[in-house]
Amino acid sequence: MANDQVPRLHGYGVRFDPAARLYRVRNEITGEWLRQDCGELTGFGSFSDAYSAWRVFEVHKRPGEK
């Protein structure tokens, strides 16, 4: 699935995909979506799993982080 095939997911970070009923992860710096090895968007059933993946995928420091 290409980036232009996910217009319903706006913004960055962790986003809920209502059609798939999954959370998706997007890099704030590059705009790149987290994908599986086969190229499909990675989906997470829980926000906490998606947030954990996003913190690894999005590598810049946030306010308050050391």
Side-chain angles (χ1 to χ4, degrees):
M1 183 180 290
N3 279 344
D4 60 353
Q5 293 176 315
V6 287
R8 67 190 173 279
L9 300 176
H10 299 289
Y12 300 97
V14 176
R15 295 288 175 246
F16 185 71
D17 181 350
R21 298 180 63 190
L22 295 169
Y23 290 95
R24 307 287 188 188
V25 174
R26 190 169 187 192
N27 186 302
E28 292 181 18
I29 296 175
T30 66
E32 175 185 13
W33 291 95
L34 181 61
R35 298 182 181 276
Q36 300 173 12
D37 291 336
C38 63
E40 291 192 30
L41 288 173
T42 302
F44 298 91
S46 74
F47 178 84
S48 62
D49 289 344
Y51 182 74
S52 295
W54 174 72
R55 288 187 53 88
V56 172
F57 188 56
E58 175 63 49
V59 296
H60 77 281
K61 292 184 182 198
R62 290 162 202 77
E65 287 186 339
K66 295 181 181 183

